[in-house]
Amino acid sequence: MAKIIVITSGKGGVGKTTTSASFATGLALRGHKTVVIDFDIGLRNLDLILGCERRVVYDFVNVVQGEATLHQALIKDKNCDNLFILAASQTKDKEALTQEGVGLVIEDLSKDFDYIVCDSPAGIERGAFLALYFADEAIVVTNPEVSSVRDSDRILGLLASKSKRAVEGQDKINARLLITRYNPARVESGEMLSITDIEDILRIPVVGVIPESTDVLQASNTGTPAISLKGTDVSEAYCDVVSRFLGENKPLRFTQADKKGIFKRIFGGAR
């Protein structure tokens, strides 16, 4: 049976879809057959980030409503044989997804995949609820700012009370924290919350820290998951996230500001 992971947050624009694409790609590259589902009905972006937007013929809603089979709707990634994408609909209403229909899709996918990654929309609307309802594990994505962390705390409350596991009295969802757009220099200057600040508020373990970087925008614009930008800090950070998720012991990186030497302090970085 597949393990179902929801990538979620309370606030929009924190990097959930970027994370879903990179995390699913990372699992697939490690040999695990993985499918990533876009739950953001009406505003799909996952297919753009994975560079398969022109190949979408049938989508998640078509499958839920019986208008297409999973075989017709699943898109195999061009660069990774173990990765498949189930795109969201751009034209249907958010209410087009039903709990029963999503459950049947998840059940069918569980027969063939090792991991099902659910890319949740922001907030607490229907798509977000359905994305987390069937989850076994959660990665809660937050930026190091008060509003984002506060909204993530609300999502943790929903995971603990509204998921299928909670309703049925099963073991709770294993939730882990991913901090994105982290800039240690800005943390030191007091412009951002520190990792310790965020951990003290949310009280869940950190699975990774993704540094603030223009490489993320480059990846999105070229239809490439950030984890595939070899040699960049962002790629290495997402690789570390996948490794930790799979049980490997990896120290957190990209958490300390660069220390300038005496010549840089006197003369600046440029010569």
Side-chain angles (χ1 to χ4, degrees), residues 236-251:
E236 292 185 25
Y238 274 119
C239 286
D240 285 354
V241 170
V242 174
S243 295
R244 292 188 198 99
F245 181 84
L246 294 174
E248 298 175 24
N249 185 18
K250 291 272 187 180

Side-chain angles (χ1 to χ4, degrees), residues 52 55 74-85:
C52 64
R55 297 164 61 202
L74 284 174
I75 300 170
K76 186 176 182 179
D77 188 78
K78 289 180 179 179
N79 301 309
C80 184
D81 287 342
N82 286 321
L83 181 62
F84 292 78
I85 301 100

Side-chain angles (χ1 to χ4, degrees), residues 20-58:
S20 296
S22 288
F23 182 70
T25 299
L27 290 172
L29 289 171
R30 295 288 292 267
H32 302 284
K33 192 175 181 184
T34 303
V35 58
V36 55
I37 307 174
D38 191 346
F39 276 79
D40 201 354
I41 307 304
L43 292 170
R44 78 177 192 216
N45 286 308
L46 182 66
D47 54 312
L48 285 170
I49 289 178
L50 287 166
C52 64
E53 68 278 7
R54 295 180 183 177
R55 297 164 61 202
V56 177
V57 178
Y58 294 107

Side-chain angles (χ1 to χ4, degrees), residues 29 31 96 186 232:
L29 289 171
R186 294 178 66 188
T232 65

Side-chain angles (χ1 to χ4, degrees), residues 49-126:
I49 289 178
L50 287 166
C52 64
E53 68 278 7
R54 295 180 183 177
R55 297 164 61 202
V56 177
V57 178
Y58 294 107
D59 56 51
F60 190 13
V61 172
N62 293 140
V63 178
V64 167
Q65 296 185 340
E67 299 164 350
T69 66
L70 268 174
H71 180 73
Q72 289 175 297
L74 284 174
I75 300 170
K76 186 176 182 179
D77 188 78
K78 289 180 179 179
N79 301 309
C80 184
D81 287 342
N82 286 321
L83 181 62
F84 292 78
I85 301 100
L86 184 55
S89 171
Q90 277 188 308
T91 58
K92 300 292 177 65
D93 186 87
K94 293 181 184 294
E95 299 302 310
L97 293 182
T98 64
Q99 186 171 306
E100 180 184 10
V102 171
L104 289 173
V105 172
I106 297 281
E107 184 180 339
D108 283 348
L109 290 171
S110 295
K111 299 171 186 174
D112 296 321
F113 288 89
D114 301 317
Y115 290 101
I116 300 170
V117 177
C118 302
D119 179 25
S120 172
I124 55 173
E125 46 107 317
R126 183 165 185 80

